[in-house]
Amino acid sequence: MAENTDVVVIGGGYAGVMAANRLTQRDDVTVTLINPRPTFVHRIRLHQLVGGTDAAVVDYQEVLAQGVRLVVDSVTRIDAAGRGVELASGAAVGYDYLVYAVGSGSADPRVPGAAEFAYPIATLEEAERLRPVLDAARTTAAVTVVGAGPTGIETAAELAEQGRTVTLVCGGVLGPYLHTRGRRSAAGRLAALGVTVLDGSDAKVTAVTRDAVRLADGRELPSAVTIWTAGFGVPDLAARSGLSTDALGRLLTDETLTCVDDDRIVAAGDSAAPSGLPLRMSCQAAMPLGARAADTVLSRFAGEQPETLNQSFGAQCISLGRGTGIFQFGNRSDVAVWFHIDGRLGAKMKEAVCKGVVKHLADEAHKPGGYRLHRMKGGAGRQEALEAMRAEAPVVAERVS
């Protein structure tokens, strides 16, 4: 191996920071993290930024290893053949290995008027843009939250707890991941907060105007502020760089997270599609994927065959205001089970998770290689899905190098 190896990590979110920190366990590796912001965005607190109860940012000094070089810039193109990345500033950075961890953001809503009049909150900048709009609106002004996943539920609860008039438009079921019992618990808490929940196919949004939301059944809801939390999209960097992606734009990899086009590129987090079967977009998946991506790179340094993905899930937690929450347990195939914890204890567990995420990253910064959650046994459901997929038409073949 060369005297020194350069690894570039694109994206300073949960997956990218975990990968960058873990790579510093070797003294002969130079790690560069490229991120468009100078601070770490604690994305699972963005609904609190909207509600004014948290800034949702953490100084990189708290979570990033001292040995990692932080470059505040945006990557505009990956030159896989030349092993380099081009930056928005006009600079270029070369690499021996690249970790692609660009994360996710808001999806194009493709609903007339939504792009013009609704406020997405999937990124720090979007949440910061919404905050003064809410501050300027009367407390009694109608607020409509579109999307009934964790972000939609949390945002609706956060604002209703402050006395705002909130309608949550599901476009389907409330909390799709939740077990029936957990869904009843969440619905009960939202009702207690005064949130009007509209679910079912008739509650799909067909248009957004400056002061209203139109539904599939013809209803028109007055809405002074419309918040859009439905769906996620990923940056198109991989596609623009000529790399293979899935339909959403996530980088296609094998089960070691190695790009199908180039074994010097690995992917992690929301922007990765291992074997064409991407995991649920979440920090619960992103950090283990970041650790797995780093381990894949380190294995290649050592001339060893990287281990394959063995992702295990355990739960989904949702805050319902500052004093209540729900911790929905799931099996290792990421399917919700009947057991959940709600109320004040649920809120404490959610807060513990939020704090624990930062602690995991900080611990890995101080002691690289110490994170072990990506090695937990699990993923039986994933293996079954892979076997079924390969029996019909293999999408990605695992590497045997």
Side-chain angles (χ1 to χ4, degrees):
M1 189 180 74
E3 185 174 323
N4 196 76
T5 302
D6 292 316
V7 181
V8 168
V9 180
I10 308 176
Y14 300 115
V17 170
M18 174 59 74
N21 287 346
R22 197 170 184 86
L23 287 164
T24 62
Q25 61 190 290
R26 289 189 63 126
D27 294 332
D28 54 356
V29 174
T30 299
V31 184
T32 299
L33 178 68
I34 303 173
N35 191 63
R37 306 174 190 89
T39 53
F40 174 80
V41 178
H42 201 0
R43 187 169 175 178
I44 56 177
R45 289 199 189 273
L46 283 177
H47 67 284
Q48 289 185 249
L49 190 160
V50 170
T53 60
D54 197 279
V57 294
V58 177
D59 195 302
Y60 270 121
Q61 291 183 351
E62 296 183 30
V63 296
L64 194 61
Q66 290 185 353
V68 177
R69 173 190 173 218
L70 175 64
V71 174
V72 181
D73 209 331
S74 297
V75 177
T76 57
R77 180 176 172 270
I78 299 168
D79 177 10
R83 293 184 189 168
V85 296
E86 300 169 5
L87 306 183
S89 63
V93 180
Y95 66 81
D96 295 302
Y97 286 89
L98 179 71
V99 178
Y100 186 84
V102 298
S104 61
S106 300
D108 180 357
R110 297 185 180 179
V111 171
E116 294 84 0
F117 302 115
Y119 292 86
I121 57 170
T123 67
L124 176 67
E125 291 76 14
E126 290 169 344
E128 288 178 335
R129 183 170 70 97
L130 172 59
R131 181 65 249 167
V133 173
L134 284 168
D135 288 342
R138 299 188 316 273
T139 303
T140 55
V143 176
T144 303
V145 179
V146 180
T151 303
I153 294 172
E154 291 183 325
T155 303
E158 197 82 22
L159 297 178
E161 192 173 61
Q162 297 175 2
R164 293 191 175 274
T165 303
V166 181
T167 298
L168 178 61
V169 180
C170 301
V173 299
L174 175 69
Y177 178 88
L178 299 174
H179 187 274
T180 303
R181 293 188 180 189
R183 189 171 297 124
R184 282 200 298 266
S185 175
R189 175 57 180 165
L190 289 170
L193 288 169
V195 177
T196 299
V197 177
L198 303 179
D199 57 7
S201 59
D202 289 343
K204 290 185 178 180
V205 176
T206 58
V208 178
T209 66
R210 188 179 303 278
D211 54 10
V213 171
R214 294 173 188 153
L215 305 183
D217 61 3
R219 282 178 290 176
E220 185 165 298
L221 310 175
S223 183
V225 181
T226 301
I227 302 172
W228 198 275
T229 71
F232 286 99
V234 299
D236 64 352
L237 176 60
R240 282 191 283 111
S241 301
L243 300 172
S244 298
T245 67
D246 68 0
L248 192 63
R250 290 170 287 216
L251 184 66
L252 284 175
T253 76
D254 64 13
E255 287 294 286
T256 71
L257 301 182
T258 302
C259 172
V260 299
D261 304 309
D262 189 331
D263 62 9
R264 293 296 184 116
I265 300 175
V266 299
D270 292 350
S271 56
S275 300
L277 290 175
L279 284 75
R280 171 160 56 91
M281 290 182 172
S282 63
C283 66
Q284 185 177 181
M287 289 198 302
L289 286 172
R292 175 63 62 202
D295 285 358
T296 290
V297 174
L298 293 171
S299 293
R300 296 200 186 280
F301 289 168
E304 300 171 352
Q305 173 64 28
E307 295 181 24
T308 56
L309 191 62
N310 183 32
Q311 191 75 30
S312 178
F313 288 89
Q316 184 181 86
C317 49
I318 300 173
S319 64
L320 294 162
R322 292 299 82 219
T324 303
I326 180 168
F327 197 94
Q328 171 67 70
F329 287 87
N331 60 28
R332 289 182 176 177
S333 295
D334 200 24
V335 176
V337 299
W338 66 270
F339 185 61
H340 71 272
I341 296 173
D342 56 15
R344 290 189 177 278
L345 181 55
K348 289 181 178 180
M349 294 178 72
K350 169 63 190 289
E351 182 61 20
V353 168
C354 290
K355 291 179 178 178
V357 166
V358 174
K359 186 177 186 303
H360 278 309
L361 295 175
D363 287 348
E364 188 69 11
H366 296 137
K367 187 180 178 181
Y371 183 82
R372 304 288 296 176
L373 293 183
H374 64 306
R375 297 185 180 278
M376 290 177 61
K377 292 183 178 180
R382 179 176 182 81
Q383 294 306 314
E384 293 172 2
L386 284 170
E387 291 172 7
M389 181 184 70
R390 289 166 181 162
E392 294 180 6
V395 175
V396 179
E398 289 186 25
R399 297 181 180 277
V400 184
S401 58

